[in-house]
Amino acid sequence: MNNFTQIFESYDWDETKQNIYAKNSMDVERALASPKRTLEDFKALISPAAAPYLEQMAQLSQQLTLKRFGKTVQMYVPLYLSNECNNICTYCGFSYDNKVKRKTLSPMEIMQEVAVIKDMGYNHVLLVTGEANQTVHVDYFKKVLDLIRPHFSHISMEVQPLDLEDYQQLTPYGLNTVLVYQETYHQEDYRKHHPKGKKSNFQYRLETPDRLGEAGIHKMGLGVLIGLEDWRTDCFFTALHLDYLEKKYWQTKYSISFPRLRPFSGGLEPKVEMNDRELVQLICAYRIFNEEVELSISTRESEKFRNNIIKLGITAISAGSKTNPGGYAVEPESLEQFEISDDRSPAAIAAMIEAQGYEPVWKDWDNSLAI
C-alpha cells in the first residue's frame, strides 16, 4: 500500500453510511465488551443504536483515558498569522470571495502577539494561516518558526498542505505537529464547498498525512468539519485514515479534533446538525476505539459543554483564543475565521480543570525530553 488513496477508493460512501445505520444493539454490546476494537466496532459505537449506551460509553472512555493519560489536560492556544487566502471555501471567513481587509503579521507584530500569549502562561502554540502561497509560504514559515522557537516548548501548525520536501525543511526549525483536516471525505460535497483554489484538489489534501508521515513529523492531527456532511460517515473515514496511518507511520503520534460548523461573516448553515449528546458519543467512541489517540476540543464549543467533557476523554483544550491575525495585541478587530463560543480566559479554564481534580498542563514535556 503506497498511500491512503488506495484504501479510501475501496470504500463506497453510501454503502458505508448504510452499514453504520444498520448496526444494532448487539453490535454495540459486542464493541463495548471487546478487548480490542475494530473499525466495525467503531461503526457500531457511532451508530444511532449506541445512543442508549451513552452512559456506559462515557464511563469506559473515562477509564481508558485515565489509564493512558492520567488526570492531565494539555493547554494550547492558536496564533493566527494571516487571513490572506486564495481559496474559496463556503464555510470560512477567510474565503477569497469574502471582501474584507487582509493582513499578514510582520516579525515585530508576531512578537507582540507572542508576548501576550506568554503572559497567559502558554508554552504550546498553534500557528494558523489562510492558504496564500505568495505571502504565507515555506520561507515565511521558516522565519516565523525561527523567531518564536525560543519561546515555546511545542509548536503546531495548521496551514495549507505542503509538499514532502517542504515539511522536511520545516522540521529542523522546531515544527512538532501539523494539523490537516480533510473537512469532508465526501468527494462531491468537498468539490461543492471548495470551488476555487489549490484546496479544491481533494486527492492532494487526502494524501497530506502520508507526506507528513514520510517527513517524520512528531505528531499529526486529523478531523472533519462537522456539519458539512453526515457526521457518522465522515468520522468513520477519519477513523479509517487514523487506523491506516498508525500502522504505516507507527512512530508518529496522532490527535483528533471535533470542529462543529460555527457562524462567520458570510454564513453557512450546517447540512447535518449534530447535538451535544451526539458529540459526546463521538468523543467516547474515538477513545474506546483508540486508547492512544489525543482528543482535542476548541473554543468553538460552549462553556457548559467544555466543562462537562473534561473527564470523558479530552486530552487537549484551547482557551482565550482569537481567530484573527493580531487578535491578541496588534489588531483585535481584524476579520475572524469563525466566532468562538467559550470566551473565558486561560486562567479561568485552568481553574475549571483543577476544580474537577485534573491538572492543566502548560508545557509539552515530551518535546523537552527529546531535545
Side-chain angles (χ1 to χ4, degrees):
M1 89 187 138
N2 294 326
N3 57 44
F4 179 66
T5 299
Q6 296 168 290
I7 293 175
F8 175 75
E9 290 179 346
S10 70
Y11 284 79
D12 178 81
W13 176 279
D14 291 333
E15 287 180 8
T16 301
K17 181 178 178 179
Q18 290 170 10
N19 191 247
I20 293 169
Y21 282 82
K23 295 294 184 184
N24 57 40
S25 58
M26 289 182 60
D27 297 318
V28 178
E29 290 173 10
R30 187 182 306 112
L32 290 171
S34 176
K36 185 173 175 60
R37 283 92 193 177
T38 65
L39 285 161
E40 286 301 312
D41 291 328
F42 183 76
K43 287 181 183 177
L45 294 171
I46 60 174
S47 72
Y53 297 84
L54 187 57
E55 181 61 33
Q56 189 176 344
M57 289 176 63
Q59 291 177 5
L60 180 55
S61 179
Q62 181 182 14
Q63 292 168 13
L64 294 173
T65 307
L66 284 171
K67 183 176 78 172
R68 170 61 181 83
F69 296 94
K71 292 187 173 184
T72 62
V73 180
Q74 175 75 51
M75 301 282 290
Y76 74 95
V77 70
L79 169 53
Y80 278 70
L81 300 171
S82 175
N83 62 15
E84 294 189 64
C85 194
N86 297 332
N87 297 318
I88 293 179
C89 300
T90 61
Y91 49 82
C92 182
F94 292 175
S95 183
Y96 180 78
D97 58 348
N98 197 2
K99 302 305 180 185
V100 294
K101 182 182 177 183
R102 304 290 173 165
K103 182 173 184 61
T104 297
L105 298 184
S106 68
M108 183 179 295
E109 290 171 330
I110 291 169
M111 292 314 297
Q112 288 178 262
E113 297 287 288
V114 167
V116 175
I117 288 172
K118 293 299 295 182
D119 283 344
M120 293 179 184
Y122 282 109
N123 267 296
H124 185 165
V125 67
L126 168 64
L127 304 178
V128 187
T129 71
E131 300 191 11
N133 290 325
Q134 77 278 12
T135 50
V136 283
H137 40 59
V138 173
D139 286 341
Y140 178 80
F141 298 141
K142 285 180 181 178
K143 291 173 183 175
V144 173
L145 290 168
D146 213 28
L147 187 65
I148 72 170
R149 186 180 184 183
H151 304 280
F152 297 100
S153 65
H154 192 112
I155 302 173
S156 304
M157 181 178 280
E158 184 181 345
V159 301
Q160 71 266 30
L162 302 172
D163 292 340
L164 171 60
E165 296 77 14
D166 297 328
Y167 290 125
Q168 290 171 331
Q169 288 183 54
L170 292 176
T171 49
Y173 284 81
L175 178 61
N176 304 107
T177 300
V178 174
L179 311 184
V180 55
Y181 305 139
Q182 188 60 31
E183 313 298 11
T184 178
Y185 286 85
H186 190 290
Q187 292 192 65
E188 290 181 12
D189 269 24
Y190 185 94
R191 283 194 291 271
K192 182 177 73 175
H193 290 296
H194 308 96
K196 183 182 185 298
K198 192 173 180 180
K199 194 170 180 177
S200 62
N201 188 333
F202 178 88
Q203 186 168 336
Y204 184 76
R205 194 169 188 89
L206 187 70
E207 294 175 357
T208 303
D210 271 293
R211 296 192 297 276
L212 289 168
E214 290 173 25
I217 199 73
H218 175 70
K219 182 167 67 180
M220 66 178 85
L222 307 175
V224 293
L225 183 55
I226 296 169
L228 292 183
E229 244 300 337
D230 178 75
W231 66 263
R232 291 182 169 91
T233 312
D234 249 339
C235 291
F236 167 77
F237 279 104
T238 308
L240 178 70
H241 209 162
L242 172 67
D243 188 62
Y244 156 81
L245 290 166
E246 281 195 328
K247 289 173 180 174
K248 186 167 184 180
Y249 309 106
W250 56 270
Q251 291 178 305
T252 300
K253 292 185 177 181
Y254 298 89
S255 70
I256 300 287
S257 296
F258 306 90
R260 285 194 281 188
L261 192 59
R262 293 283 302 160
F264 76 98
S265 52
L268 175 70
E269 291 298 317
K271 178 179 179 179
V272 179
E273 292 278 2
M274 172 196 252
N275 62 40
D276 286 357
R277 186 178 175 88
E278 289 170 335
L279 182 50
V280 172
Q281 178 185 347
L282 177 62
I283 290 169
C284 293
Y286 270 118
R287 172 57 65 228
I288 295 168
F289 171 64
N290 190 310
E291 297 180 22
E292 296 293 321
V293 69
E294 299 177 22
L295 303 179
S296 177
I297 204 81
S298 77
T299 52
R300 288 175 183 258
E301 298 303 329
S302 71
E303 178 177 330
K304 180 180 179 182
F305 184 85
R306 291 186 359 132
N307 288 354
N308 292 330
I309 203 68
I310 291 297
K311 294 182 177 181
L312 298 186
I314 293 299
T315 60
I317 190 169
S318 58
S321 303
K322 302 297 182 183
T323 68
N324 50 325
Y328 299 103
V330 176
E331 198 168 341
E333 301 305 316
S334 66
L335 171 73
E336 293 182 321
Q337 187 181 30
F338 58 87
E339 295 177 14
I340 67 169
S341 183
D342 187 352
D343 60 2
R344 287 175 292 176
S345 69
I349 296 296
M352 177 271 290
I353 293 170
E354 290 171 346
Q356 299 196 43
Y358 281 63
E359 178 188 355
V361 178
W362 296 92
K363 184 169 186 176
D364 189 294
W365 292 103
D366 284 347
N367 182 53
S368 62
L369 289 171
I371 293 175

